[in-house]
Amino acid sequence: MKIVIPGGTGQVGEILRRALTSAGHEVVVLTRRPSRKGEVVWDGETLGAWAREIDGSDLVVNLAGRSVNCRYTPANLRAMMDSRVRSTQVVGRAIAAAARPPRVWLQMSTATLYAHRFDAPNDEATGLIGGDEPGVPRYWRYSVEIAKAWEREQERAETPHTRKVALRTAMVMSPDRGGVFDVLLRMTRLGLGGPLAGGAQYVSWIHDRDLVRAVEFLAGRDDLDGPVNLAAPGPLPQAAFMRTLRSAWGVPVGLPATRWMAELGAYALRSDTELLLKSRRVVPGRLLGAGFAFEYPQWREAADDLVRRVCRGG
C-alpha cells in the first residue's frame, strides 16, 4: 500500500512510519520541514504540490496538530484548535479533489473527548462526552471542544469514495525518547512514581504495537467507520498504573504528590496537569466488537515489555 501520513514526524508518526515501512508499505510523511527520504513539504493549511501524494494513495492517516504537551495558555489552546481544524480541512479538500482518492482516511482524535469520570468506562456507544463536568477547571472544556471540532471537520468533508474513521486515541506507550512512557519511567526511576492527587483518576493507554495493529486492522475493515477508541481494554487508576510500572522497573517505592505539587511539576516540564489529573476511563468497544485481539490488553504485560525494550535500547 501507499500510505500518506500528514503530520507524521511526532511520536505516533514515527511509530507508524517504522512499522509500516518495515512491513513493506510505501510511506510518505507530510511535514513543514522535510529532512529525510519519504518526507514532502506542506504547510498544513493550503493545497499544494503535496496533494499529488494523496491522489492514488491507499490510506491517509492524518496526525497533524500542535502537540498537547505544553502549557495550556490561551494562545497554545488556540494553536491546538487552529492546527487541527485547518489541517483536517485541507486533507479533506485534497481527498475530495483526487482523481483516485484513497480508500480509507484515518483521522487522529483523542480520548480527552470523554468526560472526567470514575464510575463507568467510556465506549463509543455509551460514553459520556465531556465539557460539563462539575468541579473541574473551566479550560478542560476547551480541550473537549478541540476534539469535537477535529472530528466535525472530518465528518463535513465531502469524500464519498473514502471511508472515514476518527481515532479517539489514548496515551500511546512506546520506548521512544521523549514520549509519555519515557517521562513516566524517568519519574519512576527518580522515586517520584507514586500516587498523584490521590491516584484515583483512571489512566487509559495503548501499547505501541497494538496501535500499529489497530491501524492496519481498521484500514482493512470496510465495515468500520466513524469514531473508534484506540485504547487498551484495561484502563486502571493512576496509583495502580504507577505501582505496576515501579514493579516492572524494580523500584519499591514511589513518593506521592499532591495536586499543587503536580502543578509545580507540570510547570517545570512546560506541560499541563490535565494530562495527569483528568480521569480517562476509555475502553475499545468497537474494536473488540469487530474481533480485534489486543496483544497487550493489560498494563502489567505491556509495562514489562516496554521496560525490556528500554533496557535493550528500543
Side-chain angles (χ1 to χ4, degrees):
M1 289 193 298
K2 179 179 179 181
I3 301 168
V4 180
I5 308 180
T9 56
Q11 180 201 9
V12 173
E14 288 296 327
I15 291 168
L16 291 175
R17 188 208 303 238
R18 282 197 307 263
L20 296 172
T21 300
S22 295
H25 301 296
E26 178 189 356
V27 177
V28 175
V29 170
L30 305 183
T31 173
R32 294 175 185 273
R33 291 178 290 276
S35 62
R36 290 185 283 175
K37 181 181 178 181
E39 295 183 347
V40 173
V41 68
W42 82 325
D43 65 1
E45 297 184 12
T46 55
L47 282 175
W50 60 266
R52 291 197 292 265
E53 301 294 340
I54 285 179
D55 196 338
S57 67
D58 300 287
L59 170 65
V60 172
V61 187
N62 184 24
L63 307 178
R66 192 206 193 286
S67 172
V68 299
N69 189 20
C70 63
R71 296 297 296 168
Y72 282 12
T73 63
N76 283 341
L77 287 169
R78 171 50 58 184
M80 288 182 209
M81 175 72 86
D82 291 347
S83 62
R84 283 158 175 73
V85 167
R86 291 171 183 170
S87 61
T88 304
Q89 287 174 340
V90 78
V91 167
R93 288 168 59 199
I95 293 173
R100 296 168 297 158
R103 292 185 300 103
V104 190
W105 172 10
L106 304 183
Q107 171 63 46
M108 179 60 77
S109 182
T110 174
T112 297
L113 181 76
Y114 292 108
H116 170 76
R117 65 189 301 199
F118 304 87
D119 57 333
N122 291 301
D123 65 14
E124 300 91 340
T126 64
L128 301 179
I129 303 302
D132 298 314
E133 307 95 311
V136 301
R138 290 182 62 187
Y139 74 89
W140 285 16
R141 180 172 186 170
Y142 195 79
S143 295
V144 174
E145 292 304 315
I146 291 172
K148 289 179 180 178
W150 213 358
E151 294 189 7
R152 187 163 56 244
E153 291 305 324
Q154 188 194 32
E155 292 171 6
R156 287 175 174 172
E158 295 291 338
T159 58
H161 304 293
T162 300
R163 179 167 52 90
K164 298 183 288 189
V165 180
L167 308 175
R168 293 179 177 173
T169 310
M171 289 190 292
V172 179
M173 299 294 169
S174 81
D176 296 275
R177 293 294 300 273
V180 62
F181 182 77
D182 183 43
V183 174
L184 294 174
L185 186 59
R186 191 180 316 136
M187 293 172 59
T188 299
R189 295 167 69 176
L190 292 172
L192 303 176
L196 182 62
Q201 66 274 26
Y202 274 80
V203 178
S204 288
W205 55 276
I206 186 168
H207 188 282
D208 62 337
R209 289 176 177 162
D210 280 329
L211 171 82
V212 173
R213 294 176 59 248
V215 164
E216 293 174 325
F217 181 84
L218 290 168
R221 284 292 297 258
D222 292 337
D223 57 331
L224 290 174
D225 60 8
V228 173
N229 292 346
L230 292 193
L236 68 171
Q238 185 267 345
F241 181 91
M242 294 306 296
R243 183 168 60 247
T244 301
L245 182 53
R246 294 199 308 270
S247 175
W249 189 258
V251 175
V253 176
L255 295 177
T258 61
R259 190 183 188 98
W260 70 265
M261 293 168 69
E263 291 281 358
L264 286 176
Y267 184 82
L269 293 170
R270 303 185 65 81
S271 187
D272 198 272
T273 54
E274 184 196 33
L275 303 173
L276 304 171
L277 299 178
K278 183 169 183 177
S279 185
R280 295 173 172 86
R281 193 176 181 185
V282 179
V283 292
R286 296 193 69 196
L287 277 178
L288 293 176
F292 181 78
F294 283 82
E295 187 176 351
Y296 296 96
Q298 302 301 323
W299 178 233
R300 180 167 299 280
E301 293 76 18
D304 287 343
D305 173 75
L306 292 165
V307 164
R308 282 194 299 269
R309 289 164 64 194
V310 167
C311 289
R312 67 172 186 253

